[in-house]
Amino acid sequence: MKLFIAEDDTVLADALLTRLARLGFDTAHAADGLQAQQQLLAGDFDAVILDIGLPGLDGLQVLRNVRVHKPALPILLLTALDSMEDRVAGLDAGADDYLVKPFEFPELEARIRALLRRHRVVDSPQRDELRFGPLRLDRAGQRAWADNAPLELSARELQLLDILLANADRVVTKEQIAAELSGEGEEVGANAVEVYVHRLRKKLDGSGVGVRAVRGLGYLLAAEQ
């Protein structure tokens, strides 16, 4: 997943880029408002971390301008201002969430995961059924089949299969899977992801499709040879 960070504080920007890259995100950065606006309008990003106090063009104006062209793009505002009026101004300008500096990285990461989950829920209804080779998943009915034979999957295994099917053309990192599986008040770690992948592999054995590990990157669905 691609995240864009607009932050002029070089120390904080470097820390954000490093931390989020370790979590498996593909990150891009701009240090001023005009550059941020240009990149956001020209690029394709899954979420944005946008500082209000940017030089050149302030973050609120960037937010308003980007919202005209990309109304569904998840955007989290960062600010040192914490008055009610400031929060209302940010949300009214089109922000999805608001985080006040200084903040703890785990809270920022949790808010990003929540933004991506909400965005995925909004994006997914037009695809009620996902397919890959002989695999078929009915999202609404929470059922899956391989060559029309029903698969007996747990709720977590169904979630994992959904994630892999929705990203069937690309590798999904452990961190991204953990973020997708984590619910409100519940965090799923990388070790738990490995367990769920192992279980799903066993359930898919003989189906003609497997979960392939791409060393150092993550997992993807692949046809069995």
Side-chain angles (χ1 to χ4, degrees):
M1 289 188 177
K2 294 182 67 175
L3 292 186
F4 186 84
I5 301 167
E7 172 59 61
D8 64 318
D9 183 322
T10 55
V11 174
L12 177 56
D14 287 344
L16 287 170
L17 291 166
T18 300
R19 180 96 177 202
L20 293 170
R22 287 175 181 169
L23 291 175
F25 291 106
D26 181 8
T27 56
H29 170 248
D32 69 77
L34 287 173
Q35 183 184 11
Q37 180 172 292
Q38 290 170 357
Q39 292 189 50
L40 285 171
L41 292 177
D44 185 16
F45 300 97
D46 294 294
V48 180
I49 300 171
L50 176 63
D51 181 37
I52 286 182
L54 293 172
L57 190 65
D58 71 79
L60 287 182
Q61 192 58 53
V62 173
L63 175 58
R64 293 187 188 99
N65 294 343
V66 170
R67 270 287 173 255
V68 173
H69 302 279
K70 298 189 176 184
L73 179 62
I75 299 177
L76 169 69
L77 281 183
L78 295 182
T79 180
L81 307 174
D82 191 27
S83 70
M84 176 65 73
E85 292 77 11
D86 293 319
R87 292 196 297 273
V88 170
L91 296 172
D92 282 347
D96 296 284
D97 202 355
Y98 192 102
L99 188 58
V100 178
K101 301 176 183 179
F103 55 84
E104 298 293 334
F105 280 109
E107 181 181 4
L108 174 66
E109 292 161 14
R111 287 174 181 264
I112 292 171
R113 288 194 295 268
L115 277 181
L116 293 172
R117 280 198 302 273
R118 291 198 294 270
H119 183 62
R120 184 166 178 261
V121 167
V122 170
D123 272 0
S124 63
Q126 71 273 19
R127 297 186 64 197
D128 292 328
E129 185 174 275
L130 298 175
R131 291 175 177 266
F132 182 83
L135 291 183
R136 179 164 57 95
L137 173 66
D138 173 12
R139 281 174 153 175
Q142 288 293 283
R143 296 175 297 172
W145 298 265
D147 275 334
N148 296 320
L151 294 169
E152 299 298 328
L153 303 178
S154 69
R156 282 297 195 203
E157 291 158 3
L158 277 166
Q159 284 181 283
L160 175 58
L161 182 60
D162 189 318
I163 294 165
L164 294 171
L165 282 168
N167 297 277
D169 59 342
R170 57 184 173 180
V171 175
V172 188
T173 69
K174 281 185 190 178
E175 291 78 13
Q176 289 168 2
I177 293 172
E180 294 270 12
L181 293 178
S182 295
E184 298 299 333
E186 180 185 10
E187 294 296 323
V188 173
N191 290 338
V193 169
E194 292 180 2
V195 172
Y196 297 136
V197 168
H198 175 71
R199 291 176 180 171
L200 181 60
R201 276 186 178 135
K202 292 180 67 176
K203 300 285 181 71
L204 295 179
D205 189 36
S207 70
V209 175
V211 181
R212 181 160 67 91
V214 181
R215 186 176 180 84
L217 294 176
Y219 302 100
L220 81 163
L221 290 175
E224 293 178 337
Q225 302 298 322

